[in-house]
Amino acid sequence: MKYDYLIVGSGLYGAVFAHEAKKAGKNVLVIDKRPNIAGNVYTEEIEGINFHKYGAHIFHTNNKEAWNYVTQFAEFNRFTNSPVANYKGELYSLPFNMYTFNKMWGVVTPEEASAKIEEQRKEITGEPKNLEEQAISLVGRDIYEKLIKGYTEKQWGRDCKDLPAFIIKRLPVRLTFDNNYFNALYQGIPIGGYTQMVANMLEGIEVRLGVDYFDNKAELDALAEKIVYTGPIDAYFNFSLGTLEYRSVRFENEILDQPNFQGNAAVNYTDRETPWTRIIEHKWFEFGKDKNGNDIPKTIISREYSSEWKPGDEPYYPVNDEKNGQLYLEYKKLAEQEKKVIFGGRLGEYKYYDMDAVIAAALEKAKEELNY
Ligand code: FAD
Ligand code: UDP
């Protein structure tokens, strides 16, 4: 056999595994059906701006191993995610913190903010049964109505009373003036773009792009001892047990002939009427500068629309409900019988992994597989 490993997919999972295998002295071939490497973290330079083609990606982690790992391949900038909420032209800081409470109620001290929230949460007695009740019990009705209800209903395509409470629990609520969206020790954007970072991981490794594994499966399988498959698990089995569902997002991208559209990387539109959920202005991930440190005269924005997924669409977020979870477990049983194949990553394991988690999972698997 020509290769020890054939890796299907050049996203983060495939790239990390490939890098580790090569380091362990293995012969590796990476294929991807897209015309580019890096999977969903792919960035492309347009007008001097690193454009996040498959959605904005902000690296954030508490996992020191994952942080030490990625920083071998790129230097990270000091970007901190601080989205702004736009409710019918009124602007609020996110996540919910003293700036938000001051704008909403005119309160000045944490004690006043706390009293206001206490007063408003009284309407919820007992354990919150759905997202609406959970949100009101966390931050009160005013914030729920202006900053949560419309955004959540657009994002999930259903009423807040019909959504589980846990979705909103991960948003921080702070009685301090801290606009940092993530509670993470390490955060940033790779300088030079994610694509360059992944290219560095894949250095010295043979990569074939525009190659769909299923177009030539038998031929490709014959090239390698083992396969690492990071595509959708149901596609591997030809959807024989049914189709796993995803939540989808549609991006409408525009290059504008102006230097500054909204003054921030992310603005959430939290009213129900605006059809998009948020607008990303890519240049602000890198402080508006190009790679030579010069101001960029143009800007690129992406409006994000939450949309129902249908087979054939780009699979974005796995749906972690009972029905899909069960179906995944059935596919997993089939996967366990494929002794030559490792199923990994967001699609291969049907799991909503953040980037740091996908890196940690690939490293873990590589250690187990390559015995180091
Ligand atoms: P992917 O990047 O999807 O890679 C899989 C690769 O396999 C793709 O390149 C695909 O073309 C290829 N492939 C599939 N089938 C075949 C086939 N048959 N033949 C050949 N190739 C095939 N994480 C964060 O930490 N922070 C964020 O801010 C963040 N934002 C996100 C925003 C969006 C809109 C989305 C969808 C995800 C976001 N994530 C974020 C998660 C992050 O994208 C994932 O953790 C990561 O990209 C998963 O890597 P992966 O290698 O598992 O999958
Ligand atoms: N959310 C909200 N208003 C906002 C931002 C978030 O109501 O301006 C809610 C929404 O229900 C969302 C949840 O908080 O699903 C989690 O937000 P996060 O940004 O983590 O969601 P993601 O886009 O990663 O799913």
Side-chain angles (χ1 to χ4, degrees):
M1 295 240 181
K2 192 156 179 239
Y3 300 97
D4 298 301
Y5 291 98
L6 165 69
I7 297 180
V8 181
S10 64
L12 277 178
Y13 192 99
V16 167
F17 193 96
H19 184 85
E20 293 303 297
K22 175 164 187 279
K23 208 165 72 183
K26 305 292 183 189
N27 251 329
V28 182
L29 170 65
V30 176
I31 62 167
D32 203 297
K33 65 178 178 185
R34 291 185 182 167
N36 53 265
I37 58 164
N40 275 2
V41 306
Y42 175 69
T43 48
E44 185 174 313
E45 196 185 309
I46 301 174
E47 302 287 350
I49 299 164
N50 286 312
F51 166 63
H52 298 212
K53 183 167 180 181
Y54 299 96
H57 279 75
I58 301 152
F59 195 91
H60 56 98
T61 189
N62 283 314
N63 178 338
K64 194 159 188 188
E65 192 192 1
W67 179 251
N68 287 343
Y69 194 79
V70 284
T71 49
Q72 294 176 75
F73 304 102
E75 197 180 327
F76 278 65
N77 72 15
R78 58 159 187 86
F79 181 81
T80 301
N81 192 26
S82 308
V84 169
N86 181 328
Y87 176 78
K88 303 186 177 181
E90 293 171 25
L91 300 183
Y92 293 91
S93 290
L94 291 175
F96 309 125
N97 70 76
M98 283 303 295
Y99 287 112
T100 330
F101 306 139
N102 172 262
K103 180 82 189 257
M104 188 68 69
W105 298 313
V107 294
V108 170
T109 65
E111 205 175 3
E112 286 165 7
S114 186
K116 200 79 191 167
I117 294 172
E118 276 307 319
E119 174 196 317
Q120 294 205 356
R121 69 154 57 117
K122 277 197 194 118
E123 68 170 282
I124 306 299
T125 50
E127 193 59 25
K129 287 188 290 297
N130 54 45
L131 194 148
E132 175 172 304
E133 293 188 6
Q134 179 67 62
I136 295 172
S137 120
L138 277 176
V139 284
R141 179 165 286 274
D142 290 343
I143 290 181
Y144 169 68
E145 296 284 349
K146 287 192 170 176
L147 303 183
I148 297 175
K149 190 173 191 299
Y151 184 91
T152 302
E153 293 188 352
K154 284 190 286 191
Q155 184 165 6
W156 296 92
R158 61 198 74 164
D159 201 278
C160 285
K161 290 194 184 72
D162 300 326
L163 284 165
F166 78 84
I167 293 179
I168 199 77
K169 271 195 190 158
R170 69 170 193 225
L171 274 189
V173 178
R174 302 193 185 114
L175 291 171
T176 55
F177 290 91
D178 179 1
N179 287 331
N180 182 352
Y181 200 66
F182 299 119
N183 282 317
L185 205 48
Y186 309 102
Q187 184 173 176
I189 304 282
I191 295 170
Y194 286 95
T195 306
Q196 187 55 51
M197 179 180 94
V198 175
N200 292 344
M201 290 175 175
L202 292 172
E203 203 184 305
I205 293 170
E206 186 181 344
V207 180
R208 298 185 196 164
L209 297 174
V211 177
D212 190 321
Y213 178 53
F214 298 116
D215 287 349
N216 271 310
K217 184 170 182 301
E219 220 172 281
L220 289 163
D221 283 347
L223 293 177
E225 295 286 343
K226 280 192 105 169
I227 321 286
V228 176
Y229 175 79
T230 73
I233 189 168
D234 55 352
Y236 184 91
F237 296 104
N238 208 9
F239 308 98
S240 57
L241 306 175
T243 308
L244 289 165
E245 294 172 316
Y246 294 85
R247 214 178 95 213
S248 208
V249 194
R250 185 168 60 80
F251 303 104
E252 236 174 58
N253 307 312
E254 253 187 284
I255 302 176
L256 303 176
D257 207 0
Q258 66 185 80
N260 190 354
F261 173 75
Q262 62 185 18
N264 203 34
V267 176
N268 293 0
Y269 284 76
T270 57
D271 67 297
R272 188 70 191 81
E273 292 71 36
T274 306
W276 52 85
T277 49
R278 57 179 191 169
I279 300 182
I280 299 296
E281 188 170 8
H282 299 257
K283 71 191 310 183
W284 301 123
F285 289 122
E286 298 178 64
F287 313 106
K289 305 281 187 194
D290 68 13
K291 59 177 174 252
N292 301 315
N294 297 319
D295 290 331
I296 302 166
K298 295 194 182 184
T299 195
I300 307 177
I301 61 166
S302 300
R303 291 189 173 79
E304 285 188 23
Y305 299 81
S306 201
S307 62
E308 277 303 312
W309 177 87
K310 51 184 188 330
D313 286 354
E314 196 65 56
Y316 279 113
Y317 304 96
V319 178
N320 290 119
D321 63 7
E322 182 69 23
K323 184 179 103 192
N324 286 287
Q326 282 301 330
L327 183 56
Y328 168 67
L329 288 179
E330 293 302 311
Y331 275 119
K332 193 161 176 262
K333 280 187 207 149
L334 292 183
E336 278 155 11
Q337 288 158 28
E338 298 281 306
K339 298 293 176 218
K340 213 185 137 171
V341 187
I342 294 167
F343 291 80
R346 182 178 65 97
L347 304 169
E349 297 172 63
Y350 194 66
K351 189 162 173 185
Y352 186 81
Y353 275 129
D354 271 331
M355 289 181 274
D356 60 331
V358 98
I359 289 165
L363 284 175
E364 186 69 32
K365 184 53 87 178
K367 274 184 198 147
E368 180 189 315
E369 179 67 22
L370 303 160
N371 296 315
Y372 63 86

